Amino acid sequence: MFTFLIAAIAGLATPYVEPQIKTVLESLTLDDLKLQENEFRAFSFAIMMLAAAILAGLGGGGSAIGLSAGGLLGLFGKRILDAIQSREKNK
């Protein structure tokens, strides 16, 4: 459960930390690494999941399923909830 919660928080935080990750990456690579916007979003998500996995490991381990499910729910949870709510309004 701890792994799921850490991953959900990391997924939720991905859009917010993406600009900081981009700034750090650009300063480190000196603009040699060209990523498209969708590639960079995936890169940011991977960095956040790596951080979540490290934290989960420090907290006593966890499952890969919990990490994956939590990350996806964190990243797409707001969109899923909005889609469900709009579907309910349209009925």
Side-chain angles (χ1 to χ4, degrees):
M1 187 69 170
F2 177 71
T3 303
F4 178 82
L5 292 175
I6 293 295
I9 292 168
L12 184 63
T14 297
Y16 301 105
V17 298
E18 187 175 340
Q20 287 79 16
I21 293 173
K22 187 172 188 173
T23 302
V24 169
L25 187 64
E26 286 175 348
S27 69
L28 291 176
T29 62
L30 303 173
D31 294 328
D32 293 334
L33 182 64
K34 303 293 184 199
L35 293 174
Q36 296 175 3
E37 192 63 32
N38 59 346
E39 291 174 325
F40 194 78
R41 175 73 45 97
F43 179 77
S44 297
F45 181 66
I47 294 294
M48 294 303 291
M49 289 298 96
L50 180 61
I54 291 169
L55 285 174
L58 293 175
S63 72
I65 292 173
L67 185 71
S68 300
L72 289 175
L73 186 63
L75 187 61
F76 296 110
K78 184 173 179 354
R79 292 181 211 168
I80 293 169
L81 186 59
D82 290 343
I84 291 170
Q85 288 176 343
S86 70
R87 178 174 272 187
E88 290 297 319
K89 286 181 183 178
N90 292 335
K91 282 187 175 181

